[in-house]
Amino acid sequence: MSSKATRRGLMLVISSPSGAGKSSLSRRLLESHPELTLSVSATTRQPREGEVDGREYHFLTREAFEKRRDEDWFYEWAEVHGNLYGTPKGPVRETFESGRDVLLDIDWQGAQQLVQQEDSDVVSVFILPPSMEELENRLRKRAQDSDDVIQQRLAGAVAEMTHWSEYDYVLLNRDFEETALELDAILRAERQRRERQTWLIEFTKGLLKDS
Ligand code: 5GP
């Protein structure tokens, strides 16, 4: 029996305020785990420079987003910084149900909705910045957003951070390499949970029979 076909996938949810390093950490995790699938969300926000439709996001008009939302197209959806964001149900279900793991970069509202629906299949991680000064610096360095947007995101960051205690794991991102290792360790450990390794029932039967 193939171990891959009979394992139970997990949904690794990562949340943090903008600028805490979540995107870089997600990218690093995906690079070292090519078998991990990133859930590409839909959003009504404008693409930033370098963002490609279908890669970072599916960029939709508000009208198109609301139509899909009403057709129950999303696993979860939320309004963040005045824009709508949602996780398309189809690709996530397909990946997850075939025993593969999905990475979701979503906010606390989305994390809550997923936990309500999938509970033990969700592993949630919150990334905290080392300080508010550092968070502001990182947002400014990115310089892709206007001053107004940066101020709005800082205010949003405070609101987002009040939800840290709802997550399974909390990482303080002082040092990127260190935090990347910690995130990697979480994924590796969570994969070894007994209930996710459904193939072990048959495997251990064989193992014990041979002894
Ligand atoms: P950004 O506009 O900087 O790419 O993302 C803004 C925020 O929206 C981030 O905190 C990100 O995690 C969140 N976000 C992105 N996609 C989704 C989604 O599909 N659902 C929810 N609930 N939040 C999302």
Side-chain angles (χ1 to χ4, degrees):
M1 190 184 288
S2 146
S3 61
K4 276 230 154 75
T6 56
R7 77 179 283 274
R8 201 172 167 81
L10 60 85
M11 297 181 182
L12 184 64
V13 170
I14 306 188
S15 302
S16 80
S18 316
K22 178 181 50 175
S23 307
S24 314
L25 287 165
S26 301
R27 216 174 301 125
R28 170 65 68 84
L29 194 67
L30 287 163
E31 276 163 18
S32 40
H33 293 275
E35 74 289 355
L36 187 63
T37 305
L38 176 70
S39 162
V40 179
S41 296
T43 184
T44 60
R45 94 150 153 71
Q46 290 300 308
R48 296 196 185 111
E49 211 180 301
E51 285 184 335
V52 175
D53 186 36
R55 191 179 66 187
E56 279 79 15
Y57 284 105
H58 300 289
F59 294 100
L60 300 179
T61 61
R62 202 168 179 105
E63 194 187 5
F65 189 106
E66 285 171 349
K67 184 166 180 287
R68 284 179 165 82
R69 179 193 63 193
D70 297 343
E71 288 167 359
D72 204 23
W73 207 71
F74 295 117
Y75 232 130
E76 59 73 34
W77 69 274
E79 182 151 359
V80 188
H81 314 308
N83 290 302
L84 302 179
Y85 293 82
T87 303
K89 222 181 243 178
V92 172
R93 279 256 162 90
E94 203 179 290
T95 307
F96 171 67
E97 281 171 7
S98 67
R100 286 171 295 142
D101 303 329
V102 189
L103 176 66
L104 300 105
D105 169 345
I106 59 178
D107 84 328
W108 67 272
Q109 305 173 80
Q112 269 190 1
Q113 292 175 57
L114 275 191
V115 169
Q116 275 161 17
Q117 291 176 65
E118 305 296 344
D119 190 23
S120 59
D121 293 323
V122 177
V123 176
S124 60
V125 182
F126 196 89
I127 318 268
L128 281 173
S131 67
M132 287 309 283
E133 287 95 311
E134 182 62 29
L135 188 74
E136 188 165 352
N137 284 343
R138 289 183 195 171
L139 281 178
R140 290 199 184 282
K141 246 191 239 153
R142 202 157 74 181
Q144 290 212 5
D145 296 315
S146 68
D147 242 29
D148 267 8
V149 172
I150 290 172
Q151 285 314 318
Q152 200 184 0
R153 278 173 186 257
L154 271 174
V158 175
E160 179 86 24
M161 282 194 278
T162 61
H163 292 276
W164 67 272
S165 62
E166 294 159 22
Y167 287 72
D168 298 322
Y169 297 91
V170 181
L171 302 180
L172 182 52
N173 187 15
R174 279 200 200 92
D175 175 82
F176 175 78
E177 293 300 331
E178 189 66 26
T179 313
L181 279 177
E182 288 164 353
L183 186 58
D184 192 84
I186 291 169
L187 176 62
R188 288 177 192 270
E190 285 288 343
R191 281 179 168 168
Q192 305 314 312
R193 276 193 183 271
R194 176 178 31 79
E195 62 271 23
R196 298 211 165 94
Q197 302 193 80
T198 43
W199 61 281
L200 274 177
I201 296 168
E202 287 304 313
F203 176 80
T204 50
K205 260 189 213 160
L207 191 70
L208 297 175
K209 200 169 71 205
D210 293 344
S211 65

